[in-house]
Amino acid sequence: MEHLFPGVRDDHLVELEEAVRRRIAKDEEPLLEVAVKKELQEVLCCREKEIKMNAEERVSWQQSKIDHLIKFCHKTGWREYFLAKELYGIQILSLWNDDDRRKS
């Protein structure tokens, strides 16, 4: 609003902005921690592939997934991805099935 209407002050909007900033400061880090831990758990469990791999292959597969996760977390939008997944319970979002993300 400041860009659209420079010099105009709306106390209600200022109050809302401050409330949102406080909420983000309080909740964002714990939500991200939970979401990333879930993603790591998915990698470490690797349920669907576990039967088909020996221990060495499983460790190699897990390491490649963890490396991919680290690269993904250096990209723009990684926080939003995990926050959306955690806040909205969106299970359809998958870091592992998206070809664009896999090429990180």
Side-chain angles (χ1 to χ4, degrees), residues 4-103:
L4 292 173
F5 304 102
V8 176
R9 180 176 167 87
D10 183 328
D11 290 335
H12 181 67
L13 286 178
V14 171
E15 190 178 314
L16 285 173
E17 180 183 1
E18 289 170 0
V20 168
R21 289 183 190 279
R22 282 192 306 272
R23 179 71 187 261
I24 289 171
K26 177 184 170 217
D27 294 340
E28 184 177 38
E29 189 174 318
L31 285 169
L32 285 171
E33 183 178 339
V34 168
V36 172
K37 281 181 179 179
K38 284 181 183 177
E39 205 76 36
L40 280 170
Q41 183 177 11
E42 182 181 320
V43 168
L44 295 175
C45 289
C46 65
R47 295 175 203 108
E48 72 280 355
K49 298 189 181 262
E50 214 166 42
I51 299 167
K52 301 172 189 171
M53 294 183 201
N54 63 38
E56 187 177 310
E57 291 170 328
R58 186 170 37 252
V59 168
S60 176
W61 182 84
Q62 289 171 333
Q63 185 60 53
S64 70
K65 294 293 187 180
I66 290 169
D67 291 344
H68 174 69
L69 180 60
I70 291 167
K71 286 180 185 177
F72 180 76
C73 289
H74 283 90
K75 288 183 162 193
T76 302
W78 76 272
R79 296 170 82 89
E80 292 79 3
Y81 169 83
F82 285 114
L83 287 171
K85 226 176 154 176
E86 190 59 30
L87 282 171
Y88 301 113
I90 301 173
Q91 300 307 316
I92 196 166
L93 285 178
S94 177
L95 182 61
W96 314 115
N97 294 331
D98 184 343
D99 286 339
D100 291 335
R101 289 193 176 101
R102 203 173 296 137
K103 294 176 185 174

